[in-house]
Amino acid sequence: MSTGSHPNRSGTDTFGLDWLSVALVLGGVLLLYYLVPMASLFLSVPAGDIVARLSNPAVVDSATTSLLSASISTVVATLFGLPLAYWLARTDGAVTKVVLAAVVLPLVLPPTVGGIVLLTVFGPGSPLGDAASAAGISLTRSLAGVVLAQTFVASPFVVVTAKAAFEGVDQTLEYASRSLGKSRLRTVRRVTLPLAGPGILAGVTLTFARAIGEFGATMMVSYYPRTMPVQIWVAFIELGLDNAYPVAILLVLIAAAALLILNTVASNPWE
């Protein structure tokens, strides 16, 4: 006969421990580790000083660059990512697994490694980089370079999340549409996309949030024009931590807005 502890119907075992409460306490420590630094960031600088520093031309320029580049990156990722996500959701086999692994790879690469990978293709001395330079287009140290870096690291979010959204659509509805003479494209537009819409919007939101917060690959590919993460690093290195607070707070607010979207009009992929 076993002598170990056994839980009773109230959730406590023979030692009188309520393990659900214990889990809450242990998890609460980690939760505080998330929340306390965030609160400390907002309390470190008076609100008036933050507003005044946000009007600094360098901060305004970095915010403008980040918003513009992240918007372009998100559009590019969505335009090319949704067809790929649909294909992944509706196919199976070894090739599908290889393609999905290639999509996920940028998520697990260190961002600086991602930047080095991009430089081998788009940087000075590369065939594509030299061809673009000859045509008067700079793929590094430019807005194009920022978009290239952000798209590389952020686009997997829209592909993976949209794939899950497409897989959640009952295929019998698509079969019914096709049986009525509708083309696959029309079926996707009129049936699949509306049903998968909240999940797709979640992927788009996550892609934008990841793009606007990208630092490592952007630093490698395009130090100028500066994005907000790069401006935070420059302010910290040159002027100290206090001068990095305003942009950091702005990025936290943008991340909070992304979470608000995920929990209101989009389908939160983590729930």
Side-chain angles (χ1 to χ4, degrees):
M1 180 179 292
S2 173
T3 58
S5 61
H6 298 282
N8 57 35
R9 293 189 177 184
S10 66
T12 60
D13 60 20
T14 54
F15 297 110
L17 291 174
D18 180 354
W19 287 106
L20 188 59
S21 298
V22 173
L24 176 60
V25 171
L26 294 176
V29 174
L30 186 59
L31 182 62
L32 288 174
Y33 186 65
Y34 299 148
L35 296 178
V36 170
M38 293 292 180
S40 177
L41 173 63
F42 282 88
L43 295 174
S44 296
V45 184
D49 289 353
I50 294 175
V51 173
R53 294 181 187 179
L54 285 176
S55 62
N56 184 294
V59 174
V60 173
D61 289 345
S62 66
T64 302
T65 299
S66 285
L67 291 170
L68 177 59
S69 60
S71 298
I72 296 173
S73 300
T74 302
V75 170
V76 171
T78 303
L79 181 63
F80 293 97
L82 287 186
L84 179 57
Y86 181 78
W87 182 86
L88 287 169
R90 294 294 182 259
T91 59
D92 195 12
V95 174
T96 303
K97 290 181 173 60
V98 171
V99 173
L100 182 59
V103 170
V104 175
L105 185 59
L107 294 178
V108 298
L109 281 178
T112 50
V113 175
I116 292 173
V117 169
L118 291 175
L119 285 174
T120 64
V121 178
F122 302 109
S126 67
L128 188 56
D130 289 344
S133 296
I137 302 171
S138 176
L139 299 181
T140 59
R141 297 177 66 85
S142 65
L143 182 65
V146 176
V147 171
L148 288 172
Q150 291 178 344
T151 303
F152 183 80
V153 300
S155 58
F157 283 98
V158 73
V159 177
V160 173
T161 308
K163 172 181 175 293
F166 286 136
E167 289 173 342
V169 175
D170 189 348
Q171 288 194 61
T172 58
L173 299 175
E174 293 182 338
Y175 297 149
S177 176
R178 297 295 302 278
S179 69
L180 295 174
K182 306 300 182 183
S183 67
R184 180 181 289 275
L185 178 60
R186 187 173 178 83
T187 296
V188 170
R189 286 177 45 240
R190 301 298 294 272
V191 177
T192 312
L193 284 176
L195 292 174
I200 293 172
L201 181 57
V204 171
T205 304
L206 289 172
T207 298
F208 179 82
R210 179 65 184 88
I212 207 166
E214 164 53 29
F215 172 70
T218 304
M219 277 282 294
M220 299 293 293
V221 177
S222 184
Y223 184 77
Y224 290 104
R226 290 176 182 167
T227 59
M228 285 191 285
V230 174
Q231 182 60 35
I232 289 173
W233 182 81
V234 170
F236 172 68
I237 294 297
E238 294 181 353
L239 303 172
L241 183 60
D242 288 349
N243 289 277
Y245 285 149
V247 187
I249 289 173
L250 184 56
L251 277 176
V252 171
L253 292 175
I254 292 173
L259 288 177
L260 180 63
I261 293 173
L262 287 178
N263 286 283
T264 52
V265 297
S267 175
N268 193 327
W270 298 308
E271 290 184 346

